[in-house]
C-alpha cells in the first residue's frame, strides 16, 4: 500500500492507495456502496482505466481541494475521487466508468485520512482478493478502455504522453 | 512544501515544487491591489482557466507543452510539469556553438509547432526564445508560458503579431541567428495552409 | 520687450477638439529655463445629454480664438515682434475645428512675417508632461476623448506600444455621461469622476485587453444597454454605474501600461491627456507603480486638458532643431499618428 500526504494539503492527513487483484466480490461490494453502507468509506476504482498511481493522486488532490473549499459535487470526498478521475461532468457516467463494475477484478482503493495499519487491516477483511504492490497498477491497465473513456482519438502510443493527456483533461474538467 | 522561486514577472511568480511524486512548476498569479477585488478575482480566474485550457489544447493538437497537473483557483496557482531542458535563448547564447544542421533541425521544430498552434487559432502571446525549450530527454521542442495566450477568431493580424514578437527577440538578442528565424518562417509557411496571408501581414508591418 | 536675444518665444494655438487654447512660452537657450508666459483657454460646452459636433465646435473656435489670443498676449506681456515662431495643431483631431485654428495661425504667420510649425497634438501632450513633471524617460499613457495610447520613446520616435482598437477611453466616459444626462460643465468626465466617488456597488462589466491593446466599444454598448433597466428597477444607482465603469476602464489602462513597463524595463509612468486629470486613475496607476518600485507623474488640469501652451512648447522644440512648416504644407490632418513625428530634439 502507498501512503502519503499531499503537498498542497500538508495538514490534511494521509492518502492511502491500495491495489487488489483477482477480486472475487466486486458485485457484492458494489451493492453495498449503492446502499450507502457506511463501513465502505473508500473510493473503489476499476484499475483498467488507471495508467499510473499519479493519476489516482491527482484525482485525490482535486477531491480534497473540493472538500476543503466546500465545492463537493458528489456526496463525500471518496466518491469525489472517483468522479474526479473522469473527464466527464456527468456523475453517473463518471462513477460507472471509473468506479466498481460487477466484473471488476483489479481494484484500486483510495482512503483519505486514517492510518495505514487500520486501512490495510480493514481492506483485508472486506475484499476477497490479493493485495499487491501499487507498482503493479501499470500492469492492470486496458489501454483501449482508457482511450475510449478519455476520448483520446489520436494514435498516442507513448504511455507517458497518454498519461499527460489524461491528467490534463482531469485538471481542466470543472473550470468554468 | 519546499518551493523555490525561479522567476518573477509582471503577472506571476514561478516556483519549482514537488507535486504528488513529480517535480513540478507552481505558477502563482499576483493579486493586483489597484483593481477592485471582484474584478481582480474575475480576471485572475479567467486568465488561469485560459492558460490551462490553452496548454491542454496544445497537447491535443500535437504541440509539446508542460502538462497541466492541477488548477487551484482559490490560490490563483497552476501546477504543471517541470521540463528538464534548455531554453532556445540559452542554446543560441553560445553563439557559434550550433551547427547548420542543428540550426535547421531547431527551425523545423519551431516552425511546425507554430504552424499547428495557429492552425488551431491559438495565439501564444509572448513568443520569445526564453519561452521555447528543448527537452534534455528526447530533444523535442516544448513551448512554455502561456500566460498571455488566447484563442483568436481567425485573425491574421493576431498571428502576424505573434510571429513579430519572436522576430524581435531574434533581432535584439540573437542578431547572428537571423537565418534561423528565416528558416522558421519557411517551415511555418510550408506547414500551415493560411500562412501566406500571415507572412504578408508580417512583412507589411515593417 | 525681449532684451535677451538668447531667449526664444513661441505662440501656440490649439483647437483639435472642443477646447480652443492659446499659450505663450519662452525657452532660454543659455540657461535652459522654460517659462510659461500665458495659457488661456475657452471650452465649447453643450447641454447635458449631448456631445459636441464639428460644425458647432468650429463656430465656437472662430468666435473665441481672437479674444483668447488677445488675452494670451496681454498676460504674457509681449509684443508681436518678440514672437519667434507660431505653432499650431496640425492634428490629429476633428477636421473643421482644426482648420478654424490653423487658418488663424497661417494668417498671423503672414501678417507678422513669422515662421510656422505644425505640431502633433499627442506629442504636445507628451512634451508638456515631461517638462512640467520632470519625468526622464517614462512610459506615457495618453488618454483623452479622442486618443488612448501607451507610448515609449525609442530612437527619435514616440513609439506606440499599445492603443485602443476602437474608441478612446474619454469618448467612452463622455458617451456614458450622456446616457445619465450628466452636465458637460466643466467636462462630462469630471462629473463621472464625482459620481464615481459616491458609488459603492461594483457591477461586472466586460473587460477587454488584447496583448498591449484595449477595446472599449464592447463595455460601452454593454453598460448603455443594462443601465436604464438596472436604474429603473433600483438595483443600483448612477453613482454605482460610474464607479464600476471607472474601475473597469482604468484597470484596463493600468494593465497595458504595466505590460509596457515590464517589456521595456521602465520605472516611470507619465499620464497625459484630459482623462489624466482623473484622480482615481492616477491613484490606481500609483498603486501599480509602487508594486514595481516605480513612480507616476501626472499634471493638473492646466496641462492635462487640451491647451495652447503644449503646442507652443513642442513646436518650439521642433523649431530649435531646425524644423518649420512651409505655408503650402500647413494643412491639418484628422489622423496623425504619434510615431510619424521625427523627434529630432531628443537623442
Amino acid at each position: 500500500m502507498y501512503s502519503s500526504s499531499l503537498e498542497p494539503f500538508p495538514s490534511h492527513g494521509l492518502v492511502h492507495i491500495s491495489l487488489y487483484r483477482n477480486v472475487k466480490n466486486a458485485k457484492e461490494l458494489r451493492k453495498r456502496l449503492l446502499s450507502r453502507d457506511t463501513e465502505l468509506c473508500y473510493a473503489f476504482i476499476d484499475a483498467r482505466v488507471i495508467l499510473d498511481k499519479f493519476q489516482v493522486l491527482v484525482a485525490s488532490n482535486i477531491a480534497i481541494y473540493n472538500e476543503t473549499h466546500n465545492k463537493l459535487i458528489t456526496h463525500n470526498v471518496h466518491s469525489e475521487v472517483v468522479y474526479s478521475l473522469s473527464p466527464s461532468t456527468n456523475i453517473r457516467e463518471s462513477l460507472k466508468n471509473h468506479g466498481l463494475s460487477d466484473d471488476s477484478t483489479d481494484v484500486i482503493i483510495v482512503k483519505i485520512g486514517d492510518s495505514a495499519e487500520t486501512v490495510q487491516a480493514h481492506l483485508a477483511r472486506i475484499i476477497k482478493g490479493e493485495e499487491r504492490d501499487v507498482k503493479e497498477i501499470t500492469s492492470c491497465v486496458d489501454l483501449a478502455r482508457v482511450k475510449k473513456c478519455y476520448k483520446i482519438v489520436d494514435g498516442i502510443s507513448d504511455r507517458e504522453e497518454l498519461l499527460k493527456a489524461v491528467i490534463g483533461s482531469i485538471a481542466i474538467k470543472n473550470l468554468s | 512544501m519546499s518551493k523555490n522561486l525561479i522567476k518573477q514577472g509582471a503577472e506571476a511568480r514561478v516556483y519549482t515544487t514537488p507535486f504528488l511524486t513529480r517535480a513540478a512548476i507552481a505558477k502563482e498569479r499576483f493579486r493586483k491591489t489597484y483593481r477592485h477585488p471582484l474584478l481582480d478575482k474575475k480576471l485572475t480566474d479567467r486568465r488561469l482557466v485560459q492558460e490551462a485550457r490553452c496548454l491542454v489544447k496544445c497537447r491535443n493538437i500535437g504541440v509539446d507543452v508542460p502538462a497541466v497537473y492541477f488548477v487551484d483557483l482559490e490560490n490563483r496557482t497552476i501546477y504543471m510539469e517541470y521540463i528538464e531542458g534548455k531554453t532556445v535563448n540559452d542554446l543560441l547564447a553560445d553563439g557559434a556553438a550550433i551547427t547548420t544542421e542543428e540550426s535547421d533541425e531547431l527551425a523545423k521544430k519551431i516552425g511546425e509547432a507554430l504552424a499547428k498552434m495557429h492552425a488551431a487559432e491559438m495565439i501564444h502571446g509572448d513568443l520569445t526564445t526564453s519561452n521555447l525549450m528543448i527537452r534534455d530527454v528526447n530533444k523535442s521542442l516544448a513551448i512554455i508560458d502561456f500566460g498571455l495566450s488566447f484563442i483568436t477568431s481567425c485573425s491574421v493580424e493576431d498571428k502576424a503579431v505573434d510571429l513579430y514578437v519572436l522576430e524581435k527577440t531574434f533581432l535584439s538578442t540573437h542578431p547572428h541567428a537571423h537565418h534561423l528565424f528565416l528558416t522558421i518562417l519557411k517551415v511555418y509557411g510550408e506547414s500551415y495552409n493560411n500562412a501566406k496571408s500571415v507572412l504578408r501581414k508580417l512583412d507589411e508591418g515593417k | 520687450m525681449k532684451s535677451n536675444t538668447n531667449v526664444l518665444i513661441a505662440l501656440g494655438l490649439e483647437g483639435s477638439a472642443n477646447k480652443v487654447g492659446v499659450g505663450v512660452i519662452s525657452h532660454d537657450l543659455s540657461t535652459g529655463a522654460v517659462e510659461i508666459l500665458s495659457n488661456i483657454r475657452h471650452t465649447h460646452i453643450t447641454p447635458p445629454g449631448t456631445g459636441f459636433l464639428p460644425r458647432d465646435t468650429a463656430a465656437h473656435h472662430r468666435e473665441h480664438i481672437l479674444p483668447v489670443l488677445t488675452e494670451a498676449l496681454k498676460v504674457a506681456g509681449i509684443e508681436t515682434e518678440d514672437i519667434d515662431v507660431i505653432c499650431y495643431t496640425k492634428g490629429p483631431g476633428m477636421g473643421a475645428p482644426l482648420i478654424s485654428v490653423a487658418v488663424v495661425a497661417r494668417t498671423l504667420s503672414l501678417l507678422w512675417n513669422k515662421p510656422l510649425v505644425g505640431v502633433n497634438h499627442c506629442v504636445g501632450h507628451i512634451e508638456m508632461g515631461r517638462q512640467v513633471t520632470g519625468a526622464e524617460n517614462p512610459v506615457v499613457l495618453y488618454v483623452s476623448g479622442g486618443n488612448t495610447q501607451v507610448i515609449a520613446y525609442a530612437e527619435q520616435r514616440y513609439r506606440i506600444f499599445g492603443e485602443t482598437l476602437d474608441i478612446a477611453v474619454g469618448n467612452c466616459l463622455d458617451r456614458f455621461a450622456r446616457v445619465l444626462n450628466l452636465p458637460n460643465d466643466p467636462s462630462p468626465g469630471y462629473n463621472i469622476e464625482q459620481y464615481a466617488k459616491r458609488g459603492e456597488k461594483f457591477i461586472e462589466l466586460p473587460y477587454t485587453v488584447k496583448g498591449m491593446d484595449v477595446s472599449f466599444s464592447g463595455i460601452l454598448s454593454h453598460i448603455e444597454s443594462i443601465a436604464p433597466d438596472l436604474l429603473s428597477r433600483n438595483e443600483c444607482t448612477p453613482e454605482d454605474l460610474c464607479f464600476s465603469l471607472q474601475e473597469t476602464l482604468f484597470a484596463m489602462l493600468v494593465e497595458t501600461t504595466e505590460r509596457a513597463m515590464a517589456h521595456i524595463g521602465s520605472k516611470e509612468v507619465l499620464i497625459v491627456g484630459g482623462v489624466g486629470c482623473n484622480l482615481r486613475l492616477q491613484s490606481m496607476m500609483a498603486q501599480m507603480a509602487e508594486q514595481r518600485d516605480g513612480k507616476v507623474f501626472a499634471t493638473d488640469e492646466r496641462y492635462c486638458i487640451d491647451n495652447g501652451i503644449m503646442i507652443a512648447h513642442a513646436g518650439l522644440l521642433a523649431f530649435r532643431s531646425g524644423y518649420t512648416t512651409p505655408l503650402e504644407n500647413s494643412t491639418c490632418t484628422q489622423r496623425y499618428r504619434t510615431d510619424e513625428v521625427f523627434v529630432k530634439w531628443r537623442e
Side-chain angles (χ1 to χ4, degrees):
Chain A
M1 195 168 80
Y2 173 87
S3 300
S4 175
S5 65
L6 305 184
E7 287 90 352
F9 302 101
S11 41
H12 202 277
L14 297 171
V15 172
H16 310 280
I17 302 176
S18 182
L19 172 66
Y20 270 77
R21 301 193 76 167
N22 293 324
V23 173
K24 305 272 191 269
N25 64 335
K27 193 166 171 186
E28 176 220 323
L29 287 168
R30 193 161 162 265
K31 220 161 143 189
R32 286 175 72 182
L33 278 171
L34 285 171
S35 64
R36 304 270 170 85
D37 187 332
T38 50
E39 202 199 337
L40 295 190
C41 223
Y42 301 95
F44 288 92
I45 300 160
D46 191 313
R48 284 175 289 186
V49 289
I50 303 300
L51 287 160
D52 189 290
K53 181 175 93 240
F54 184 61
Q55 185 181 348
V56 178
L57 285 168
V58 167
S60 307
N61 186 60
I62 292 171
I64 295 174
Y65 174 83
N66 289 352
E67 186 188 46
T68 310
H69 296 294
N70 286 318
K71 289 193 172 113
L72 279 178
I73 293 164
T74 64
H75 283 284
N76 58 69
V77 72
H78 290 103
S79 51
E80 197 82 358
V81 173
V82 182
Y83 171 73
S84 300
L85 278 168
S86 171
S88 160
T89 49
N90 182 313
I91 301 178
R92 254 180 58 140
E93 193 184 314
S94 309
L95 297 180
K96 179 163 153 277
N97 289 336
H98 293 84
L100 269 182
S101 299
D102 286 346
D103 66 340
S104 299
T105 53
D106 295 332
V107 179
I108 297 168
I109 303 100
V110 177
K111 174 71 182 176
I112 296 172
D114 237 341
S115 74
E117 297 77 35
T118 320
V119 172
Q120 201 158 26
H122 189 225
L123 287 178
R125 277 205 320 273
I126 60 174
I127 300 179
K128 290 195 179 72
E130 299 152 29
E131 191 191 355
R132 300 282 246 265
D133 190 310
V134 294
K135 282 197 191 71
E136 281 189 46
I137 285 178
T138 52
S139 328
C140 305
V141 69
D142 177 343
L143 287 177
R145 208 173 172 107
V146 168
K147 286 185 182 171
K148 181 160 175 259
C149 204
Y150 288 94
K151 298 187 175 57
I152 313 271
V153 289
D154 236 334
I156 302 180
S157 47
D158 183 70
R159 289 274 291 245
E160 179 61 18
E161 282 309 304
L162 189 57
L163 179 63
K164 284 180 182 172
V166 163
I167 303 293
S169 67
I170 291 176
I172 63 170
K173 176 164 91 171
N174 275 116
L175 298 181
S176 47
Chain B
M1 193 150 35
S2 54
K3 287 160 94 172
N4 265 330
L5 181 69
I6 59 171
K7 194 164 110 176
Q8 183 156 318
E11 299 286 318
R13 271 185 218 100
V14 180
Y15 301 89
T16 53
T17 175
F19 181 77
L20 313 179
T21 76
R22 293 204 168 196
I25 293 273
K27 182 170 175 181
E28 185 187 349
R29 284 184 171 263
F30 294 124
R31 250 192 263 270
K32 297 286 183 180
T33 51
Y34 68 82
R35 288 183 195 140
H36 189 281
L38 287 176
L39 178 62
D40 193 43
K41 173 103 182 94
K42 182 182 102 166
L43 277 178
T44 309
D45 280 0
R46 196 211 286 181
R47 301 243 167 103
L48 278 167
V49 170
Q50 210 160 19
E51 184 169 2
R53 284 193 184 284
C54 280
L55 284 168
V56 171
K57 182 160 184 182
C58 272
R59 175 143 253 110
N60 290 344
I61 61 175
V63 177
D64 190 3
V65 298
V68 175
Y69 292 160
F70 175 45
V71 181
D72 182 355
L73 287 179
E74 290 292 317
N75 291 305
R76 307 172 315 280
T77 305
I78 299 183
Y79 293 83
M80 61 181 88
E81 176 194 358
Y82 174 75
I83 295 181
E84 297 265 5
K86 277 200 166 82
T87 66
V88 171
N89 184 45
D90 290 335
L91 282 173
L92 295 179
D94 270 347
I98 179 166
T99 68
T100 326
E101 208 178 68
E102 285 168 339
S103 168
D104 284 346
E105 188 62 44
L106 182 61
K108 183 166 177 283
K109 290 174 181 163
I110 299 172
E112 281 174 354
L114 294 184
K116 281 187 190 148
M117 270 177 53
H118 284 183
E121 305 305 321
M122 194 184 314
I123 305 299
H124 181 274
D126 195 15
L127 280 175
T128 66
T129 49
S130 306
N131 287 337
L132 299 170
M133 287 188 75
I134 298 293
R135 288 187 187 263
D136 281 341
V137 63
N138 61 359
K139 303 286 176 249
S140 114
L141 172 87
I143 307 182
I144 65 171
D145 201 346
F146 279 72
L148 294 174
S149 63
F150 59 96
I151 308 284
T152 182
S153 38
C154 302
S155 163
V156 169
E157 168 104 32
D158 286 337
K159 291 168 191 168
V161 170
D162 221 15
L163 296 177
Y164 180 58
V165 173
L166 184 60
E167 177 168 28
K168 278 212 292 199
T169 324
F170 273 92
L171 288 174
S172 59
T173 324
H174 319 285
H176 58 278
H178 193 59
H179 61 281
L180 178 72
F181 180 73
L182 294 175
T183 315
I184 293 173
L185 289 186
K186 178 164 159 284
V187 175
Y188 174 85
E190 289 161 4
S191 319
Y192 173 40
N193 286 336
N194 299 338
K196 225 162 89 177
S197 46
V198 176
L199 293 172
R200 198 175 341 138
K201 193 90 203 200
L202 177 66
D203 223 28
E204 273 171 32
K206 296 188 207 158
Chain C
M1 176 250 155
K2 200 166 67 161
S3 46
N4 186 353
T5 47
N6 234 357
V7 172
L8 291 177
I9 292 183
L11 178 73
L13 294 93
E14 150 65 29
S16 60
N18 66 331
K19 282 76 100 186
V20 65
V22 178
V24 182
I25 203 165
S26 76
H27 288 186
D28 187 323
L29 300 179
S30 19
T31 65
V34 168
E35 207 188 324
I36 291 152
L37 300 173
S38 66
N39 187 16
I40 313 294
R41 173 172 65 212
H42 197 277
T43 307
H44 169 53
I45 296 179
T46 56
T50 67
F52 55 89
L53 300 167
R55 205 169 68 168
D56 301 331
T57 309
H60 164 271
H61 289 359
R62 282 195 297 273
E63 188 189 331
H64 288 96
I65 189 161
L66 293 182
V68 168
L69 171 65
T70 314
E71 177 76 6
L73 293 173
K74 187 166 135 205
V75 168
I78 56 166
E79 308 293 331
T80 52
E81 49 268 25
D82 298 329
I83 298 172
D84 292 290
V85 59
I86 296 171
C87 314
Y88 75 99
T89 308
K90 188 177 177 67
M94 297 172 101
L98 277 170
I99 293 170
S100 67
V101 171
V103 159
V104 173
R106 282 183 220 130
T107 311
L108 293 177
S109 155
L110 288 170
L111 209 58
W112 297 342
N113 197 21
K114 306 284 178 186
L116 261 181
V117 169
V119 177
N120 178 301
H121 182 87
C122 315
V123 174
H125 272 295
I126 297 172
E127 290 300 347
M128 202 65 213
R130 285 179 63 229
Q131 174 60 36
V132 167
T133 65
E136 296 241 354
N137 198 13
V139 165
V140 179
L141 175 67
Y142 171 38
V143 275
S144 68
N147 294 279
T148 297
Q149 296 170 17
V150 176
I151 294 157
Y153 175 77
E155 285 165 39
Q156 297 180 300
R157 298 238 170 222
Y158 285 114
R159 311 212 172 242
I160 302 173
F161 268 72
E163 58 191 318
T164 175
L165 296 168
D166 37 61
I167 59 175
V169 64
N171 188 236
C172 181
L173 289 164
D174 291 351
R175 280 158 74 171
F176 186 61
R178 279 179 239 166
V179 168
L180 294 180
N181 249 340
L182 296 186
N184 287 326
D185 189 3
S187 76
Y190 176 82
N191 292 317
I192 291 199
E193 184 176 359
Q194 302 320 305
Y195 265 53
K197 284 182 192 163
R198 302 191 297 267
E200 283 170 346
K201 185 173 174 186
F202 181 75
I203 293 136
E204 247 191 57
L205 298 168
Y207 182 100
T208 316
V209 168
K210 268 220 282 183
M212 297 265 206
D213 294 327
V214 285
S215 163
F216 297 118
S217 57
I219 185 175
L220 177 63
S221 55
H222 181 89
I223 199 175
E224 276 175 341
S225 71
I226 63 169
D229 191 44
L230 288 175
L231 292 171
S232 68
R233 286 190 282 136
N234 267 331
E235 272 188 43
C236 73
T237 64
E239 288 83 351
D240 295 332
L241 288 168
C242 290
F243 168 65
S244 308
L245 183 61
Q246 276 197 175
E247 290 302 301
T248 310
L249 292 176
F250 295 166
M252 286 163 65
L253 295 172
V254 174
E255 175 168 0
T256 44
T257 307
E258 179 166 26
R259 292 220 183 137
M261 284 174 82
H263 196 86
I264 66 177
S266 166
K267 286 201 164 169
E268 292 180 325
V269 181
L270 169 65
I271 312 177
V272 300
V275 182
C277 291
N278 189 304
L279 296 176
R280 178 64 188 139
L281 174 59
Q282 289 181 22
S283 144
M284 281 169 78
M285 195 69 79
Q287 257 181 303
M288 175 278 285
E290 213 176 87
Q291 288 192 317
R292 314 178 55 85
D293 282 328
K295 208 171 157 214
V296 175
F297 297 88
T299 59
D300 61 41
E301 55 86 36
R302 285 174 292 174
Y303 312 108
C304 266
I305 298 178
D306 291 345
N307 58 85
I309 198 76
M310 72 189 192
I311 302 301
H313 180 59
L316 188 48
L317 288 171
F319 180 68
R320 285 168 53 190
S321 70
Y323 180 81
T324 58
T325 305
L327 196 69
E328 59 270 22
N329 294 350
S330 65
T331 49
C332 291
T333 170
Q334 287 185 263
R335 283 182 223 306
Y336 186 6
R337 282 182 72 75
T338 316
D339 52 16
E340 278 178 54
V341 176
F342 177 51
V343 183
K344 194 166 173 202
W345 57 91
R346 288 184 67 174
E347 245 128 86

